[in-house]
Short mmCIF file of all heavy atoms in Angstrom, two decimals:
data_model
loop_
_atom_site.label_atom_id
_atom_site.label_comp_id
_atom_site.label_asym_id
_atom_site.label_seq_id
_atom_site.Cartn_x
_atom_site.Cartn_y
_atom_site.Cartn_z
N VAL A 1 0.86 -1.18 0.00
CA VAL A 1 0.00 0.00 0.00
C VAL A 1 0.90 1.23 0.00
O VAL A 1 1.99 1.21 0.60
CB VAL A 1 -0.93 0.05 1.24
CG1 VAL A 1 -1.89 1.22 1.14
CG2 VAL A 1 -1.70 -1.25 1.40
N VAL A 2 0.45 2.30 -0.66
CA VAL A 2 1.20 3.55 -0.71
C VAL A 2 0.38 4.66 -0.06
O VAL A 2 -0.84 4.75 -0.30
CB VAL A 2 1.56 3.93 -2.16
CG1 VAL A 2 2.29 5.28 -2.21
CG2 VAL A 2 2.39 2.84 -2.81
N ILE A 3 1.03 5.48 0.76
CA ILE A 3 0.41 6.68 1.32
C ILE A 3 1.17 7.89 0.78
O ILE A 3 2.40 7.92 0.83
CB ILE A 3 0.46 6.69 2.86
CG1 ILE A 3 -0.35 5.53 3.44
CG2 ILE A 3 -0.06 8.02 3.42
CD1 ILE A 3 -0.17 5.36 4.95
N ILE A 4 0.46 8.87 0.26
CA ILE A 4 1.08 10.12 -0.17
C ILE A 4 0.58 11.24 0.73
O ILE A 4 -0.64 11.40 0.91
CB ILE A 4 0.75 10.43 -1.65
CG1 ILE A 4 1.26 9.32 -2.56
CG2 ILE A 4 1.38 11.77 -2.05
CD1 ILE A 4 0.94 9.53 -4.03
N THR A 5 1.50 12.00 1.30
CA THR A 5 1.13 13.05 2.23
C THR A 5 2.02 14.27 2.05
O THR A 5 3.03 14.21 1.33
CB THR A 5 1.22 12.54 3.68
OG1 THR A 5 0.77 13.56 4.58
CG2 THR A 5 2.65 12.16 4.05
N GLY A 6 1.64 15.33 2.70
CA GLY A 6 2.43 16.56 2.64
C GLY A 6 3.16 16.85 3.92
O GLY A 6 3.64 17.96 4.12
N GLY A 7 3.23 15.86 4.82
CA GLY A 7 3.96 16.06 6.07
C GLY A 7 3.05 16.44 7.21
O GLY A 7 1.82 16.40 7.10
N ALA A 8 3.66 16.81 8.31
CA ALA A 8 2.91 17.11 9.53
C ALA A 8 3.21 18.53 9.99
O ALA A 8 4.08 19.21 9.47
CB ALA A 8 3.27 16.11 10.61
N GLY A 9 2.46 18.99 11.00
CA GLY A 9 2.67 20.32 11.54
C GLY A 9 1.53 21.26 11.20
O GLY A 9 0.78 21.04 10.24
N GLU A 10 1.37 22.30 11.99
CA GLU A 10 0.24 23.21 11.83
C GLU A 10 0.23 23.91 10.48
O GLU A 10 -0.83 24.22 9.95
CB GLU A 10 0.26 24.25 12.95
CG GLU A 10 -0.01 23.68 14.35
CD GLU A 10 -0.04 24.76 15.41
OE1 GLU A 10 0.12 25.95 15.04
OE2 GLU A 10 -0.21 24.43 16.59
N LYS A 11 1.40 24.21 9.92
CA LYS A 11 1.47 24.95 8.68
C LYS A 11 1.72 24.05 7.47
O LYS A 11 2.02 24.54 6.38
CB LYS A 11 2.57 26.03 8.78
CG LYS A 11 2.28 27.09 9.84
CD LYS A 11 3.34 28.17 9.83
CE LYS A 11 3.03 29.24 10.87
NZ LYS A 11 4.06 30.32 10.87
N ALA A 12 1.61 22.74 7.67
CA ALA A 12 1.87 21.81 6.58
C ALA A 12 0.76 21.89 5.53
O ALA A 12 -0.38 22.20 5.84
CB ALA A 12 1.99 20.39 7.11
N SER A 13 1.12 21.62 4.30
CA SER A 13 0.15 21.55 3.20
C SER A 13 0.33 20.24 2.47
O SER A 13 1.43 19.69 2.42
CB SER A 13 0.36 22.71 2.22
OG SER A 13 -0.01 23.95 2.79
N PHE A 14 -0.75 19.74 1.88
CA PHE A 14 -0.64 18.58 1.01
C PHE A 14 0.13 19.03 -0.23
O PHE A 14 1.23 18.60 -0.49
CB PHE A 14 -2.02 18.04 0.66
CG PHE A 14 -1.99 16.79 -0.16
CD1 PHE A 14 -1.61 15.59 0.40
CD2 PHE A 14 -2.33 16.83 -1.50
CE1 PHE A 14 -1.57 14.42 -0.37
CE2 PHE A 14 -2.29 15.68 -2.28
CZ PHE A 14 -1.91 14.47 -1.71
N SER A 15 -0.47 19.92 -1.00
CA SER A 15 0.22 20.59 -2.11
C SER A 15 -0.69 21.68 -2.65
O SER A 15 -1.90 21.48 -2.76
CB SER A 15 0.57 19.61 -3.24
OG SER A 15 1.09 20.32 -4.37
N THR A 16 -0.09 22.80 -3.00
CA THR A 16 -0.86 23.90 -3.59
C THR A 16 -0.75 23.92 -5.10
O THR A 16 -1.06 24.92 -5.75
CB THR A 16 -0.40 25.25 -3.01
OG1 THR A 16 1.03 25.37 -3.15
CG2 THR A 16 -0.77 25.38 -1.54
N GLY A 17 -0.30 22.79 -5.68
CA GLY A 17 -0.26 22.69 -7.13
C GLY A 17 1.07 23.09 -7.72
O GLY A 17 2.11 22.97 -7.08
N ALA A 18 1.05 23.56 -8.94
CA ALA A 18 2.29 23.93 -9.63
C ALA A 18 2.98 25.10 -8.92
O ALA A 18 2.33 25.97 -8.36
CB ALA A 18 1.99 24.31 -11.07
N ASP A 19 4.30 25.08 -8.97
CA ASP A 19 5.09 26.18 -8.43
C ASP A 19 4.97 27.36 -9.39
O ASP A 19 5.60 27.39 -10.46
CB ASP A 19 6.56 25.74 -8.29
CG ASP A 19 7.42 26.78 -7.60
OD1 ASP A 19 7.11 27.98 -7.71
OD2 ASP A 19 8.41 26.41 -6.96
N LEU A 20 4.14 28.34 -9.04
CA LEU A 20 3.85 29.43 -9.96
C LEU A 20 5.05 30.36 -10.17
O LEU A 20 5.16 30.99 -11.23
CB LEU A 20 2.65 30.23 -9.45
CG LEU A 20 1.33 29.45 -9.40
CD1 LEU A 20 0.19 30.35 -8.94
CD2 LEU A 20 0.99 28.82 -10.75
N LYS A 21 5.95 30.41 -9.19
CA LYS A 21 7.17 31.21 -9.39
C LYS A 21 8.04 30.58 -10.47
O LYS A 21 8.59 31.28 -11.33
CB LYS A 21 7.94 31.33 -8.08
CG LYS A 21 7.25 32.19 -7.03
CD LYS A 21 8.10 32.30 -5.77
CE LYS A 21 7.41 33.19 -4.74
NZ LYS A 21 8.21 33.30 -3.48
N GLU A 22 8.15 29.25 -10.44
CA GLU A 22 8.91 28.56 -11.47
C GLU A 22 8.16 28.64 -12.80
O GLU A 22 8.76 28.82 -13.86
CB GLU A 22 9.13 27.11 -11.07
CG GLU A 22 10.01 26.33 -12.05
CD GLU A 22 10.22 24.88 -11.61
OE1 GLU A 22 9.27 24.08 -11.81
OE2 GLU A 22 11.30 24.56 -11.10
N ARG A 23 6.84 28.51 -12.74
CA ARG A 23 6.03 28.56 -13.95
C ARG A 23 6.22 29.88 -14.69
O ARG A 23 6.23 29.92 -15.93
CB ARG A 23 4.54 28.37 -13.57
CG ARG A 23 3.54 28.51 -14.70
CD ARG A 23 3.58 27.36 -15.67
NE ARG A 23 3.23 26.09 -15.04
CZ ARG A 23 1.99 25.66 -14.85
NH1 ARG A 23 0.95 26.39 -15.24
NH2 ARG A 23 1.78 24.47 -14.30
N ALA A 24 6.37 30.97 -13.94
CA ALA A 24 6.52 32.29 -14.56
C ALA A 24 7.79 32.41 -15.38
O ALA A 24 7.90 33.28 -16.24
CB ALA A 24 6.49 33.38 -13.48
N THR A 25 8.76 31.53 -15.13
CA THR A 25 10.03 31.57 -15.88
C THR A 25 9.99 30.69 -17.12
O THR A 25 10.95 30.68 -17.90
CB THR A 25 11.19 31.12 -14.98
OG1 THR A 25 11.06 29.71 -14.70
CG2 THR A 25 11.23 31.91 -13.69
N MET A 26 8.90 29.94 -17.32
CA MET A 26 8.83 28.97 -18.41
C MET A 26 8.30 29.61 -19.69
O MET A 26 7.43 30.49 -19.65
CB MET A 26 7.91 27.81 -18.03
CG MET A 26 8.37 26.95 -16.88
SD MET A 26 7.18 25.61 -16.58
CE MET A 26 7.87 24.87 -15.08
N SER A 27 8.79 29.12 -20.80
CA SER A 27 8.22 29.51 -22.10
C SER A 27 6.92 28.73 -22.30
O SER A 27 6.60 27.81 -21.54
CB SER A 27 9.20 29.15 -23.22
OG SER A 27 9.35 27.74 -23.31
N GLU A 28 6.17 29.09 -23.32
CA GLU A 28 4.92 28.38 -23.59
C GLU A 28 5.17 26.89 -23.85
O GLU A 28 4.42 26.03 -23.39
CB GLU A 28 4.20 29.02 -24.79
CG GLU A 28 3.63 30.40 -24.48
CD GLU A 28 2.82 30.95 -25.64
OE1 GLU A 28 2.60 30.21 -26.63
OE2 GLU A 28 2.41 32.12 -25.56
N ASP A 29 6.23 26.58 -24.58
CA ASP A 29 6.54 25.19 -24.86
C ASP A 29 6.93 24.45 -23.58
O ASP A 29 6.58 23.27 -23.40
CB ASP A 29 7.68 25.09 -25.87
CG ASP A 29 7.22 25.40 -27.30
OD1 ASP A 29 5.99 25.38 -27.54
OD2 ASP A 29 8.08 25.67 -28.15
N GLU A 30 7.64 25.13 -22.68
CA GLU A 30 8.02 24.50 -21.42
C GLU A 30 6.80 24.25 -20.54
O GLU A 30 6.75 23.24 -19.83
CB GLU A 30 9.05 25.38 -20.69
CG GLU A 30 10.42 25.36 -21.32
CD GLU A 30 11.37 26.37 -20.69
OE1 GLU A 30 10.90 27.44 -20.25
OE2 GLU A 30 12.58 26.08 -20.63
N VAL A 31 5.83 25.14 -20.58
CA VAL A 31 4.59 24.93 -19.82
C VAL A 31 3.87 23.70 -20.35
O VAL A 31 3.38 22.87 -19.58
CB VAL A 31 3.68 26.17 -19.90
CG1 VAL A 31 2.31 25.85 -19.29
CG2 VAL A 31 4.31 27.35 -19.18
N LYS A 32 3.82 23.56 -21.67
CA LYS A 32 3.17 22.39 -22.26
C LYS A 32 3.88 21.10 -21.83
O LYS A 32 3.23 20.10 -21.52
CB LYS A 32 3.17 22.50 -23.79
CG LYS A 32 2.26 23.60 -24.33
CD LYS A 32 2.36 23.68 -25.85
CE LYS A 32 1.49 24.80 -26.38
NZ LYS A 32 1.62 24.94 -27.87
N ARG A 33 5.19 21.13 -21.82
CA ARG A 33 5.96 19.95 -21.42
C ARG A 33 5.71 19.62 -19.94
O ARG A 33 5.55 18.46 -19.57
CB ARG A 33 7.45 20.17 -21.67
CG ARG A 33 8.33 18.96 -21.33
CD ARG A 33 9.79 19.28 -21.55
NE ARG A 33 10.07 19.48 -22.97
CZ ARG A 33 10.39 18.49 -23.80
NH1 ARG A 33 10.47 17.24 -23.36
NH2 ARG A 33 10.64 18.74 -25.07
N PHE A 34 5.65 20.66 -19.11
CA PHE A 34 5.39 20.45 -17.68
C PHE A 34 4.01 19.83 -17.47
O PHE A 34 3.85 18.89 -16.68
CB PHE A 34 5.50 21.77 -16.92
CG PHE A 34 5.32 21.64 -15.43
CD1 PHE A 34 6.40 21.30 -14.63
CD2 PHE A 34 4.08 21.82 -14.84
CE1 PHE A 34 6.25 21.16 -13.26
CE2 PHE A 34 3.92 21.68 -13.48
CZ PHE A 34 5.01 21.35 -12.68
N LEU A 35 3.00 20.35 -18.17
CA LEU A 35 1.65 19.80 -18.06
C LEU A 35 1.62 18.35 -18.52
O LEU A 35 0.93 17.50 -17.91
CB LEU A 35 0.67 20.63 -18.89
CG LEU A 35 0.29 22.00 -18.32
CD1 LEU A 35 -0.54 22.77 -19.33
CD2 LEU A 35 -0.46 21.84 -17.02
N PHE A 36 2.33 18.04 -19.59
CA PHE A 36 2.42 16.66 -20.07
C PHE A 36 3.00 15.76 -18.99
O PHE A 36 2.48 14.67 -18.72
CB PHE A 36 3.28 16.63 -21.33
CG PHE A 36 3.49 15.26 -21.91
CD1 PHE A 36 2.53 14.69 -22.74
CD2 PHE A 36 4.64 14.55 -21.64
CE1 PHE A 36 2.71 13.42 -23.27
CE2 PHE A 36 4.83 13.28 -22.17
CZ PHE A 36 3.87 12.71 -22.99
N ASN A 37 4.05 16.23 -18.33
CA ASN A 37 4.71 15.43 -17.29
C ASN A 37 3.83 15.27 -16.05
O ASN A 37 3.77 14.18 -15.46
CB ASN A 37 6.05 16.06 -16.92
CG ASN A 37 7.09 15.91 -18.01
OD1 ASN A 37 7.00 15.00 -18.83
ND2 ASN A 37 8.07 16.80 -18.04
N ILE A 38 3.16 16.34 -15.64
CA ILE A 38 2.35 16.24 -14.43
C ILE A 38 1.14 15.34 -14.68
O ILE A 38 0.76 14.55 -13.81
CB ILE A 38 1.93 17.64 -13.91
CG1 ILE A 38 1.54 17.56 -12.43
CG2 ILE A 38 0.78 18.24 -14.72
CD1 ILE A 38 1.41 18.91 -11.75
N ARG A 39 0.56 15.43 -15.86
CA ARG A 39 -0.58 14.56 -16.19
C ARG A 39 -0.15 13.10 -16.22
O ARG A 39 -0.84 12.22 -15.69
CB ARG A 39 -1.17 14.97 -17.54
CG ARG A 39 -2.47 14.25 -17.88
CD ARG A 39 -3.01 14.70 -19.23
NE ARG A 39 -3.30 16.12 -19.25
CZ ARG A 39 -2.67 17.02 -20.00
NH1 ARG A 39 -1.69 16.63 -20.80
NH2 ARG A 39 -3.00 18.29 -19.97
N ASN A 40 0.99 12.82 -16.81
CA ASN A 40 1.48 11.44 -16.89
C ASN A 40 1.87 10.91 -15.51
O ASN A 40 1.66 9.72 -15.21
CB ASN A 40 2.67 11.35 -17.85
CG ASN A 40 2.24 11.43 -19.30
OD1 ASN A 40 1.06 11.40 -19.61
ND2 ASN A 40 3.21 11.53 -20.19
N THR A 41 2.43 11.77 -14.67
CA THR A 41 2.82 11.33 -13.33
C THR A 41 1.60 10.98 -12.51
O THR A 41 1.57 9.95 -11.81
CB THR A 41 3.64 12.43 -12.62
OG1 THR A 41 4.82 12.70 -13.38
CG2 THR A 41 4.03 12.00 -11.22
N PHE A 42 0.57 11.82 -12.56
CA PHE A 42 -0.65 11.53 -11.79
C PHE A 42 -1.37 10.29 -12.34
O PHE A 42 -1.95 9.52 -11.58
CB PHE A 42 -1.58 12.74 -11.82
CG PHE A 42 -1.05 13.94 -11.07
CD1 PHE A 42 -1.70 15.17 -11.14
CD2 PHE A 42 0.11 13.86 -10.31
CE1 PHE A 42 -1.21 16.27 -10.46
CE2 PHE A 42 0.61 14.97 -9.63
CZ PHE A 42 -0.06 16.17 -9.70
N THR A 43 -1.31 10.10 -13.64
CA THR A 43 -1.89 8.89 -14.22
C THR A 43 -1.12 7.66 -13.76
O THR A 43 -1.72 6.59 -13.52
CB THR A 43 -1.90 8.97 -15.76
OG1 THR A 43 -2.72 10.08 -16.15
CG2 THR A 43 -2.47 7.70 -16.38
N ALA A 44 0.20 7.79 -13.61
CA ALA A 44 1.01 6.67 -13.09
C ALA A 44 0.61 6.35 -11.66
O ALA A 44 0.58 5.18 -11.26
CB ALA A 44 2.49 7.02 -13.17
N VAL A 45 0.28 7.38 -10.87
CA VAL A 45 -0.22 7.15 -9.51
C VAL A 45 -1.53 6.37 -9.58
O VAL A 45 -1.72 5.38 -8.88
CB VAL A 45 -0.43 8.49 -8.77
CG1 VAL A 45 -1.15 8.27 -7.44
CG2 VAL A 45 0.91 9.19 -8.53
N GLU A 46 -2.44 6.81 -10.43
CA GLU A 46 -3.73 6.16 -10.56
C GLU A 46 -3.59 4.71 -11.01
O GLU A 46 -4.35 3.83 -10.57
CB GLU A 46 -4.57 6.93 -11.58
CG GLU A 46 -5.98 6.39 -11.77
CD GLU A 46 -6.77 7.26 -12.74
OE1 GLU A 46 -6.27 7.52 -13.86
OE2 GLU A 46 -7.87 7.70 -12.38
N ASN A 47 -2.62 4.44 -11.87
CA ASN A 47 -2.46 3.11 -12.46
C ASN A 47 -1.56 2.19 -11.66
O ASN A 47 -1.30 1.05 -12.09
CB ASN A 47 -1.92 3.23 -13.89
CG ASN A 47 -2.96 3.77 -14.85
OD1 ASN A 47 -4.16 3.66 -14.61
ND2 ASN A 47 -2.50 4.36 -15.94
N MET A 48 -1.09 2.62 -10.51
CA MET A 48 -0.28 1.72 -9.68
C MET A 48 -1.07 0.47 -9.35
O MET A 48 -2.28 0.53 -9.10
CB MET A 48 0.13 2.41 -8.37
CG MET A 48 1.16 3.50 -8.52
SD MET A 48 1.83 3.99 -6.92
CE MET A 48 2.98 2.63 -6.63
#
């Protein structure tokens, strides 16, 4: 069994999504590649 978490503590977060600071430095093609990777990674989680 696998558990995915964001850690512990009062200020802990599961995840707030894409790093928008990093996203702001990406070109349009890089954004497309990132979306492709994040979609495939989450699908890999689903298909475990």
Side-chain angles (χ1 to χ4, degrees):
V1 185
V2 177
I3 297 171
I4 300 178
T5 184
E10 293 183 2
K11 296 184 179 180
S13 290
F14 184 73
S15 173
T16 53
D19 186 331
L20 296 183
K21 291 182 179 179
E22 184 180 77
R23 175 71 62 84
T25 69
M26 296 181 186
S27 66
E28 290 185 7
D29 284 343
E30 287 173 327
V31 171
K32 291 178 182 178
R33 182 182 293 272
F34 183 85
L35 286 173
F36 178 83
N37 289 336
I38 201 167
R39 187 180 300 114
N40 285 352
T41 299
F42 293 172
T43 298
V45 171
E46 182 177 52
N47 288 336
M48 289 192 78

